[in-house]
Amino acid sequence: MSLVLRSDDLPPDDRIELIRDAIWAGVLPVEIDYDRPAADIEVLCRVVEAGPVNFSSARSTPTMLRRTPRLARQDHEPTVFLAVQVAGTTMVAQGDNQAVLRAGDMAVYESTRPYTVLNTDRTELHYFQVPRGALALPEGTIDAVAGLRIGPDNNALAAVVAPYFDTLGSTDVLDHPTAAELVAGPSIDLLRALITTHLADEPAAAAPLQGSLVPRVQEYVRRHLADRDLSAATIAAAHHVSVRHLYAELERAGVGLQDTIRSLRLQECRRALRDPASAHLTVSGIGARWGFVDASHFGRVFRREYGMTPREWRAAPG
């Protein structure tokens, strides 16, 4: 999905409401306040989705965005934001932390706790929104850096990360679907590295990366269940480790790779067999869609897992 919102295209009487509706639908529900009449508000906003990542850029007159306690409590997939300051001055506050951002600075905050983003003058920022599960960082890691200023003077990676995300937000590369999909994974990896290196000491910074391989692999498996070539080799390559190291880490965590893949695929098949949207598909077609290319094998493993064949499950009263 790609969205471009220009205040000049919006009638002044409806401008504030239309901007708010677009941000709620395309990014995240937040309260938006302006310091001037609607006719004097200037906004240029662009939103692009690339797989699990939401990229947005905003150039605007002074604005205050508030994720209120009520909005933060609403049921939603927890997400993490990286704000990259391009021009102007912005204050980001979450929890006990508050950061003042100027060009080249960044800040991280997340959706399940209240936050405030205050643009005190004409500003331009890029925002990158990632599911918290995709970062696969240990509990408390995001809280430790949320609302802190991250810049070249206090983070060794900032001088690399800020220009990278600025390029993504400032060029048309994200308008090309294939390119957008390809940069999603590296962008998540880079954000994960930025967050972990901002922790206070080297052991603390290294621990999340070392300890997050298993949850990252589990998240990767969930996102690629329908890939027929999903295997230890492709998973290891995607995470830049050897197959031997992958199996060793999974064994240490008590996770069986093939059992996990098979169980998750069976869950998707079980759901699809009862889904009206899949009613036109054959049982074997549903199995094949989720990696079970041999219909007989699919039937056997499904029965072993659920005590009935796929056809019996499909025909059983709901």
Side-chain angles (χ1 to χ4, degrees):
M1 181 197 79
S2 180
L3 165 72
V4 176
L5 182 71
R6 295 182 178 85
S7 53
D8 290 347
D9 298 334
L10 308 175
D13 289 347
D14 300 323
R15 186 169 294 172
I16 293 177
E17 183 177 354
L18 291 172
I19 292 172
R20 176 184 177 277
D21 289 348
I23 298 301
W24 278 50
V27 184
L28 193 73
V30 290
E31 298 299 336
I32 307 176
D33 300 311
Y34 298 94
D35 67 347
R36 61 197 64 199
D40 297 330
I41 294 172
E42 298 177 18
V43 171
L44 174 60
C45 182
R46 175 170 167 259
V47 181
V48 180
E49 287 186 2
V53 183
N54 181 302
F55 298 87
S56 58
S57 298
R59 186 185 308 150
S60 72
T61 46
T63 313
M64 182 165 66
L65 310 176
R66 292 179 297 116
R67 180 77 167 164
T68 64
R70 178 182 63 83
L71 292 174
R73 287 193 301 268
Q74 290 181 354
D75 184 33
H76 68 287
E77 180 180 20
T79 60
V80 175
F81 285 85
L82 173 69
V84 181
Q85 192 80 20
V86 179
T89 303
T90 296
M91 186 275 291
V92 176
Q94 185 163 62
D96 296 329
N97 297 328
Q98 179 175 306
V100 176
L101 309 183
R102 296 179 175 83
D105 289 336
M106 296 170 286
V108 171
Y109 52 98
E110 54 105 6
S111 66
T112 62
R113 293 189 294 147
Y115 64 76
T116 299
V117 177
L118 174 62
N119 301 314
T120 57
D121 50 17
R122 188 180 296 272
T123 56
E124 182 174 357
L125 291 100
H126 303 307
Y127 300 95
F128 301 89
Q129 181 182 1
V130 177
R132 193 168 65 190
L135 286 170
L137 290 170
E139 191 72 28
T141 305
I142 302 298
D143 292 347
V145 298
L148 299 178
R149 185 186 68 84
I150 302 175
D153 60 325
N154 64 10
N155 188 301
L157 285 180
V160 174
V161 175
Y164 168 82
F165 283 111
D166 185 20
T167 300
L168 289 183
S170 302
T171 67
D172 65 352
V173 64
L174 296 176
D175 293 329
H176 304 278
T178 300
E181 290 283 348
L182 289 173
V183 301
S187 297
I188 293 172
D189 290 341
L190 203 54
L191 176 55
R192 184 186 301 112
L194 180 74
I195 291 170
T196 55
T197 57
H198 204 69
L199 297 176
D201 57 83
E202 290 187 6
L209 285 179
Q210 294 169 354
S212 69
L213 177 62
V214 172
R216 282 189 285 130
V217 165
Q218 291 172 318
E219 179 66 21
Y220 180 90
V221 167
R222 279 190 287 269
R223 294 203 317 268
H224 293 82
L225 277 177
D227 295 355
R228 292 192 178 185
D229 64 346
L230 184 65
S231 65
T234 58
I235 294 168
H239 291 83
H240 311 292
V241 297
S242 68
V243 172
R244 182 176 181 179
H245 180 72
L246 172 67
Y247 274 123
E249 290 297 313
L250 292 173
E251 183 178 1
R252 188 175 294 114
V255 175
L257 182 59
Q258 299 307 321
D259 289 344
T260 297
I261 293 173
R262 182 173 58 252
S263 178
L264 291 173
R265 282 177 165 171
L266 285 172
Q267 290 175 26
E268 291 297 333
C269 291
R270 188 171 185 261
R271 179 195 56 77
L273 286 165
R274 289 281 185 87
D275 186 354
S278 301
H280 65 290
L281 297 175
T282 64
V283 168
S284 59
I286 289 174
R289 172 171 287 188
W290 292 103
F292 296 101
V293 294
D294 184 319
S296 297
H297 174 69
F298 173 46
R300 286 195 300 272
V301 296
F302 190 97
R303 183 167 188 167
R304 188 183 310 135
E305 185 78 10
Y306 299 115
M308 61 178 71
T309 68
R311 285 185 175 80
E312 289 170 342
W313 167 254
R314 190 177 222 181

